[in-house]
Amino acid sequence: MHVNRLSRARKRVTMALAVSALLGGTVMTTAGPASATPRAAPPKAPAAAADCSDAYKIEQTVDGGTTWRMCWHYNTLSGLILDKISYQPKGEAKPIPVLTSARLAQVHVPYDDGEAEYDDVTGTDFGQALQNLNPGECPGGTIKTVKVPHRGNVKGLCTTTRARGHAYRLNDDESTGGTGKVYTGQGKDLLVYTVNKASWYEYITEWRFSSDGTITSQVGATGSLSPYDYDGGDSRGWPIGKGDQAKAESHAHNVFWRLNFGLDGSPKAKVEQYDSKVTPPTGDGSPTTKTTRTKVTKELAGDRKDMRWWRVVSGAGKNKDGHPRSYEIVPGPSNKHAGREFTKHDVYFTQYKKCEQYASNNPGCPNGTPDSVDKWVNGQSLTHPVTWVHIGFHHIARDEDQQPMPVHWQGFSLAARDVTAMSPLTPQDLANQNGQPPLGG
C-alpha cells in the first residue's frame, strides 16, 4: 500500500521540477497576482513601509488605530511568502519594520511504521496545488487572484479581519484611589491565509496580526486520512470505521517556519535566551525565582524547557523609554519527534545564507551542501540571525477524523516586547501612567 503512495509523491515532485525547468528557473520560482508582473527581489532590510506595487500590498488598520503593512509573493514550493512586514501603532510617527520575510519552511510527515516519510513542502506539489477559495471561506474579506506557474490563475489568497475577544480590561477601582471607571476593549486581527493540497491532506497556512503587535502563524491540517494507510498495527494505528480491522496509520506533522527579522530596518539583530530557576522555600519563607539572560552569539539549536524563552532584539532602534525593541518567540503546544536530527530541536538560530530556505530537503544550495537546518548550526557568529521555529504534532487518528477531517492546528506567536513604550491600546485617560502606577491613598 505504501509503495503506491510513495510512487505518487515521487511523480509529483518530478512534475514540479519539470515545471520549474520549463520556466527557465529553479524550484524557487515565484509568482504573484494575475494582474501584476513579478516584482524585483526585496531588499535585505525592509523599508519603513511596504513599498511594493498595489497588487502585492496588504495594508489594514485594526482596533486602537494599529496599522499593519506588508508585501506578498508566491513561491512554487512553499506557497505564500510575506515580505517587509511593518507595524504602526497609534502614537508612532512612522511604521516600525519587523520582518524582512516570513514563510512556511517545511511540513515533514513520517509514518509510525517507518515505511513512508514525506517532506510535503519540498517533496510534493504543495505550492502548485494552491486551492481556489470561495467567498464563504473568506468572510468579510478579499480573495486575491494568484498566478501560479503551470496552473494559471487561482483565487487563493484571503485577507480579512476577525474578532478575537477581549484585548484588555481594567476596573480602575475607587477603593485603591482610582476613578471607578472600567476600561475595556475588544480586539480584531488581520488574517492572511491560503490553502494548499499535498496528497490527501490540505494545509491552511494562516498569519494573524493583532493590534498589540503580536504576530501569530498557524498551519491547520484538514482534508482526508490517506486511504492507502489503513494497515497500522495495534501499536501504530487506530481503528477507524466499524470493528477493529482497518487501523489508520499514526504519523507526525513536523512543521517549520523561517523568519528573517529586520527590526527597525536592520538585519543586524541579537538573540537572547532567558531561563528562570525556582528555589523552594526554607522554613516559613516563600519560594524565590531567579532569571538569567544568556546572549546567543553563535548559531544555536535550542530546546524548550519550563521557564525558558528566547527573544530577537533590534540592533538599530529603541522605544521612547530607551529600551531596545524585541520580539519574543512563544511556541504553541508541540510533540517533539526525534526521528531525524532536524526534528530534535524546537528552535534554531542560523547565520543568514540566501540559499538556506527550507528546514529539510532544501533544494537551493550547491550540490554537496548540507540540506537540513540542523547541519547549518556549525558555530558561526550570529550577525544576521535567521530564526527557525519547529512545532510537532503526533497524529493518532480517531473516528471523528472522517469525513472530511476537522482542522487540527499547530503554530506559534511572536509577542512584541518593548516595541512601544506603553501598550498601543492604552486609553487616553491612562496615557500618563508610564512606569509605576499611582498608589491609592
Side-chain angles (χ1 to χ4, degrees), residues 77-97:
L77 288 183
S78 59
L80 176 66
I81 298 177
L82 299 180
D83 305 305
K84 306 177 187 175
I85 299 171
S86 70
Y87 159 59
Q88 187 175 11
K90 179 183 64 178
E92 293 291 333
K94 59 183 181 180
I96 301 167

Side-chain angles (χ1 to χ4, degrees), residues 157-349:
L157 173 59
C158 172
T159 62
T160 189
T161 57
R162 187 172 298 169
R164 71 172 185 278
H166 274 85
Y168 62 87
R169 190 183 191 280
L170 169 65
N171 179 358
D172 197 16
D173 202 323
E174 289 182 347
S175 65
T176 57
T179 64
K181 292 180 65 174
V182 174
Y183 299 93
T184 183
Q186 296 289 299
K188 182 179 287 187
D189 297 337
L190 164 65
L191 266 66
V192 181
Y193 53 91
T194 58
V195 179
N196 294 78
K197 195 170 180 67
S199 188
W200 301 99
Y201 270 93
E202 298 187 20
Y203 294 106
I204 305 168
T205 304
E206 177 188 282
W207 294 89
R208 183 184 291 258
F209 302 89
S210 301
S211 52
D212 61 0
T214 301
I215 300 172
T216 300
S217 186
Q218 299 186 98
V219 167
T222 181
S224 296
L225 295 168
S226 168
Y228 292 89
D229 292 294
Y230 274 77
D231 56 352
D234 288 339
S235 64
R236 302 189 314 272
W238 196 271
I240 303 295
K242 293 185 181 299
D244 196 38
Q245 298 303 308
K247 294 184 175 67
E249 189 78 38
S250 302
H251 53 280
H253 294 258
N254 303 311
V255 181
F256 291 81
W257 291 260
R258 180 184 184 273
L259 307 168
N260 186 8
F261 279 89
L263 280 164
D264 293 297
S266 172
K268 295 181 179 180
K270 300 176 183 178
V271 177
E272 296 175 347
Q273 176 179 305
Y274 290 80
D275 290 276
S276 299
K277 182 179 180 180
V278 178
T279 301
T282 58
D284 294 331
S286 296
T288 60
T289 303
K290 180 180 180 180
T291 300
T292 58
R293 177 183 66 173
T294 303
K295 294 182 179 180
V296 181
T297 59
K298 296 185 181 299
E299 294 175 315
L300 173 71
D303 296 303
R304 290 161 61 148
K305 288 179 61 177
D306 286 346
M307 303 182 81
R308 168 177 287 175
W309 53 279
W310 298 271
R311 70 168 182 159
V312 178
V313 187
S314 174
K318 299 179 179 180
N319 66 20
K320 293 176 182 177
D321 281 346
H323 301 148
R325 294 189 174 104
S326 71
Y327 264 85
E328 178 183 343
I329 299 164
V330 185
S334 183
N335 305 135
K336 191 184 297 186
H337 182 283
R340 292 289 183 186
E341 288 300 318
F342 60 85
T343 62
K344 289 183 178 180
H345 303 286
D346 301 300
V347 64
Y348 295 87
F349 299 100

Side-chain angles (χ1 to χ4, degrees), residues 70-118:
M70 66 201 71
C71 300
W72 68 274
H73 70 276
Y74 194 82
N75 182 285
T76 54
L77 288 183
S78 59
L80 176 66
I81 298 177
L82 299 180
D83 305 305
K84 306 177 187 175
I85 299 171
S86 70
Y87 159 59
Q88 187 175 11
K90 179 183 64 178
E92 293 291 333
K94 59 183 181 180
I96 301 167
V98 178
L99 288 161
T100 302
S101 68
R103 68 191 301 161
L104 186 64
Q106 193 56 271
V107 181
H108 171 248
V109 186
Y111 276 68
D112 282 18
D113 61 2
E115 294 184 24
E117 180 179 2
Y118 307 101

Side-chain angles (χ1 to χ4, degrees), residues 170-173 176-181 183 321 421-423 426-440:
L170 169 65
N171 179 358
D172 197 16
D173 202 323
T176 57
T179 64
K181 292 180 65 174
Y183 299 93
D321 281 346
M422 296 182 69
S423 166
T426 297
Q428 189 58 42
D429 288 0
L430 306 177
N432 64 337
Q433 294 187 20
N434 182 20
Q436 183 176 357
L439 300 176

